[in-house]
Amino acid sequence: MTIREQFEQEEHERLCRYAAYSDSSRGREKPEKESDIRTVYQRDRDRIIHCKSFRRLKHKTQVFLSPYGDHYRTRLTHTLEVSQIARTIAKAVRANEDLTEAIALGHDLGHTPFGHAGERALTRTLGRPFLHSEQSVRVVERLEKNGRGLNLTWEVRDGFRNHRTSSRPATLEGDIVRVSDKIAYINHDIDDGIRAGLLSEDRLPEECTSVLGNRTRDRINSIILDTVEHTIGQARVTMSEQVETALLKLRTFMFEELYRNPLAKGEEGKAEEIVAMLYRYYMEHPDALPGEFLDMIDEGDPQDVVVCDYIAGMTDNYAIMKFQEIFLPHSWQKM
């Protein structure tokens, strides 16, 4: 018996009946020889960590565009916090921690530069929704490894596609990531908002803090404990009505006070225009695209999709650099 087979056997002994067992995966689009020491979900996790799209997350906006300070979250640190919360819940409810971690680490691989501002800009210029959740799937199916993709399992890709609040993942593990994403961003965005001087603990709704706590760590802990308590033995993630209501009200407060705050988001119009102008330029000048993207068009991928692939993969800094290179006189770029 291989080490992998021992791990698979242990899962059946240890995990709950609603968990996604590694040896019951719906598999990969391209069949592969199994590893002797890693389960399919462990391999997926490792492929995500080592891919280029994952590394680029460190230079993509979470909430604040190019903030002055080393301690603000980026899309990468957000991803790591989601992974930590999701793994804690998965282990406690006896779900598959490896699958949970793989989904958490890759759920934002398709995010645009400048956070949701970039997503809005592509949606507006495309004339149809551009969803980073769908783009995350495209990254691992088509874009990574020079067009070969990462060939991840169906369950991991389903978790990427359905991690938004309104979606419903097929697995308990995907559902854990979906909820953990919300727990993470609401609470760490409060922390960043306080650091930026745009929020303070005493401004948070008392009806929320009285239930969840008055510090970031207390709120996260309260929500996790409640989630674990109400999810054990269930096929889906659930919370008590009291905690879920408090979390949703806190999310509404964050949209009103931070996510739409002109001081925090005042520069987003400029960021959106950068993305929109880059999109229009590459649609008019496809020969300016890197060779691997031109190859994709030659292979039959629609040009507008490929242009979005290129722009969505940019970091904030790279998008700004390309904008300057294309639209600013060369003498101005050195000023």
Side-chain angles (χ1 to χ4, degrees), residues 71-208:
H71 300 136
Y72 290 93
R73 272 75 172 186
T74 65
R75 191 60 58 178
L76 179 60
T77 52
H78 159 73
T79 293
L80 296 176
E81 292 185 28
V82 173
S83 176
Q84 180 269 323
I85 291 171
R87 288 177 56 201
T88 297
I89 295 173
K91 181 174 287 187
V93 304
R94 292 188 295 124
N96 191 317
E97 191 177 344
D98 295 324
L99 172 57
T100 303
E101 185 178 21
I103 297 170
L105 290 173
H107 79 281
D108 272 353
L109 290 178
H111 233 300
T112 56
F114 314 119
H116 290 284
E119 196 170 18
R120 289 194 299 270
L122 289 179
T123 292
R124 188 177 74 247
T125 52
L126 273 171
R128 63 177 185 273
F130 177 91
L131 300 175
H132 74 272
S133 52
E134 292 290 343
Q135 188 67 15
S136 295
V137 177
R138 182 164 169 81
V139 165
V140 300
E141 288 184 346
R142 181 71 172 103
L143 302 180
E144 276 290 338
K145 297 183 73 172
N146 298 318
R148 299 192 303 276
L150 301 182
N151 198 29
L152 303 183
T153 56
W154 181 90
E155 291 79 8
V156 172
R157 289 178 285 128
D158 172 80
F160 292 176
R161 180 173 282 117
N162 294 297
H163 78 266
R164 295 182 301 151
T165 298
S166 59
S167 298
R168 187 175 176 83
T171 63
L172 172 60
E173 291 78 7
D175 211 28
I176 289 171
V177 173
R178 180 184 66 85
V179 173
S180 298
D181 186 32
K182 188 187 305 179
I183 296 171
Y185 76 70
I186 291 174
N187 285 287
H188 65 48
D189 291 352
I190 289 174
D191 189 43
D192 280 355
I194 291 172
R195 178 171 292 107
L198 300 175
L199 295 175
S200 61
E201 285 287 353
D202 57 10
R203 285 182 55 199
L204 301 181
E206 196 276 335
E207 59 187 326
C208 299

Side-chain angles (χ1 to χ4, degrees), residues 305-325:
V305 172
V306 174
V307 170
C308 283
D309 289 337
Y310 181 45
I311 294 174
M314 294 179 177
T315 62
D316 295 10
N317 294 337
Y318 188 77
I320 293 169
M321 183 191 76
K322 296 307 292 185
F323 177 85
Q324 292 174 333
E325 179 183 297

Side-chain angles (χ1 to χ4, degrees), residues 267-325:
E267 298 291 292
E268 284 196 350
K270 299 176 185 178
E272 288 185 33
E273 194 57 30
I274 287 174
V275 171
M277 290 178 70
L278 287 173
Y279 175 83
R280 289 191 289 266
Y281 176 82
Y282 287 113
M283 286 299 292
E284 295 171 6
H285 304 88
D287 289 345
L289 290 167
E292 62 265 34
F293 292 92
L294 289 174
D295 291 342
M296 290 168 59
I297 294 174
D298 291 341
E299 291 166 7
D301 289 55
Q303 181 181 330
D304 60 344
V305 172
V306 174
V307 170
C308 283
D309 289 337
Y310 181 45
I311 294 174
M314 294 179 177
T315 62
D316 295 10
N317 294 337
Y318 188 77
I320 293 169
M321 183 191 76
K322 296 307 292 185
F323 177 85
Q324 292 174 333
E325 179 183 297

Side-chain angles (χ1 to χ4, degrees), residues 40-77:
V40 290
Y41 300 137
Q42 289 172 339
R43 295 180 78 186
D44 284 357
R45 175 203 58 206
D46 296 348
R47 290 177 186 188
I48 291 164
I49 288 175
H50 289 286
C51 78
K52 292 186 292 186
S53 300
F54 183 78
R55 296 196 292 275
R56 290 198 299 269
L57 294 176
K58 67 181 177 179
H59 293 304
K60 292 194 177 190
T61 291
Q62 174 60 24
V63 173
F64 293 94
L65 293 171
S66 301
Y68 293 102
D70 294 332
H71 300 136
Y72 290 93
R73 272 75 172 186
T74 65
R75 191 60 58 178
L76 179 60
T77 52

